[in-house]
Amino acid sequence: GKSLKIAIDGPAGSGKSTIAKILAEKLSLLYIDTGAMYRAITFKALQSGRFSTKDIIDIAENSQIIFDKGRIYLDGMDVTEEIRKPEIDEKVSITASIPEVRERLVMLQRKMAAEQGVVMDGRDIGTVVLPDADYKFFLTANIEERAIRRYNELLKKGVFKSFQEVKEEIIRRDKNDAERECSPFKKAEDAVEIDTTDKDINTVVKELMEYIKKG
Ligand code: C5P
């Protein structure tokens, strides 16, 4: 039905955003990338040179974030590419650890999900944002595989970092996300865990669709 809510959580490089996007398209649901929201706030804070906790909270509370046709707009400006830059990867878990920022973004996320059916991906969707989601998936992949995916993604964009550097960056971000006090990154008890290591995208999409068809 039109108002299905599907939650997809997973660590960096688990393939969750690629999978979520395809799933949303197949099911005619809106895709909401919640990581992009934390990234957008981080981007604005860095760009304005205001990066104290107080500043970041202020920015989170006074910014408009809109998703439209696969793009993300911050205060009317398309920031889809900017928010994927390495300096955002480095700083985003700071933004995401601030309770007031989370409170604000979770409120916006729930509002979006209340208005239409969604596939939402992130770190706390099944646990906090949409605990009553119709389906919850938790995607994983081993660290080597996740680092390879991320490394290739960066290469494509012309960002030349060593594989080791990329891998350490992912490990550091996962650790920060899992150890923060407010809504730490973890699998919801009732989420279906799917290991995407050595599986191509279509295989994973099929697997998820099987669960959804079964009801
Ligand atoms: O999914 P993505 O890698 O773009 O997320 C970027 C960061 O945003 C994560 O490392 C995490 O710190 C934060 N995040 C979060 N909760 C979410 C989604 C993302 O804390 N629901």
Side-chain angles (χ1 to χ4, degrees), residues 12 16 33-36 38-39 84 92-93 96 102 121-125 173 177 180:
K16 63 184 186 316
D33 175 355
T34 63
Y38 291 92
R39 288 172 178 275
R84 301 288 155 198
V92 66
S93 48
R102 302 201 69 84
D121 83 2
R123 301 291 188 294
D124 62 343
I125 312 306
R173 187 145 61 93
D177 289 341
R180 69 174 175 236

Side-chain angles (χ1 to χ4, degrees), residues 8-13 16-17 31 33-39 42 83-84 88-89 91-97 102 105-106 109 120-125 129 150 173-174 176-178 180 182-185:
I8 303 186
D9 290 296
K16 63 184 186 316
S17 60
Y31 166 55
D33 175 355
T34 63
M37 299 170 76
Y38 291 92
R39 288 172 178 275
T42 308
I83 62 166
R84 301 288 155 198
I88 308 295
D89 288 335
K91 294 283 187 333
V92 66
S93 48
I94 298 174
T95 304
S97 71
R102 302 201 69 84
L105 295 188
V106 167
Q109 290 153 11
M120 195 176 273
D121 83 2
R123 301 291 188 294
D124 62 343
I125 312 306
V129 182
R150 185 86 190 112
R173 187 145 61 93
D174 284 351
N176 287 341
D177 289 341
R180 69 174 175 236
C182 183
S183 307
F185 167 47

Side-chain angles (χ1 to χ4, degrees), residues 1-9 20 23-24 27-32 108-121 125-126 129-137 190 208 211-212 215:
K2 267 283 162 210
S3 63
L4 268 188
K5 315 277 183 236
I6 302 177
I8 303 186
D9 290 296
L23 211 58
L27 299 167
S28 306
L29 302 171
L30 180 72
Y31 166 55
I32 298 171
L108 292 175
Q109 290 153 11
R110 286 185 181 145
K111 213 171 138 200
M112 291 183 210
E115 288 161 359
Q116 62 231 293
V118 294
V119 178
M120 195 176 273
D121 83 2
I125 312 306
V129 182
L130 303 175
D132 299 324
D134 299 288
Y135 299 95
K136 296 182 186 180
F137 298 104
D190 53 350
L208 266 60
Y211 279 101
I212 296 167

Side-chain angles (χ1 to χ4, degrees), residues 169-200:
E169 169 71 31
I170 288 184
I171 292 172
R172 189 188 59 81
R173 187 145 61 93
D174 284 351
K175 186 168 184 291
N176 287 341
D177 289 341
E179 288 179 354
R180 69 174 175 236
E181 255 165 65
C182 183
S183 307
F185 167 47
K186 65 165 187 256
K187 177 185 165 301
E189 271 177 40
D190 53 350
V192 175
E193 182 164 346
I194 293 175
D195 188 340
T196 72
T197 313
D198 300 325
K199 283 182 195 157
D200 64 20

Side-chain angles (χ1 to χ4, degrees), residues 8 14-16 18-20 22-23 26 137-141 145 149 193-212:
I8 303 186
S14 59
K16 63 184 186 316
T18 311
I19 305 293
I22 297 174
L23 211 58
K26 275 187 181 284
F137 298 104
F138 191 83
L139 301 189
T140 60
E145 171 98 11
R149 290 175 189 169
E193 182 164 346
I194 293 175
D195 188 340
T196 72
T197 313
D198 300 325
K199 283 182 195 157
D200 64 20
I201 292 161
N202 282 336
T203 308
V204 181
V205 170
K206 256 192 211 150
E207 219 171 311
L208 266 60
M209 285 299 284
E210 289 298 317
Y211 279 101
I212 296 167

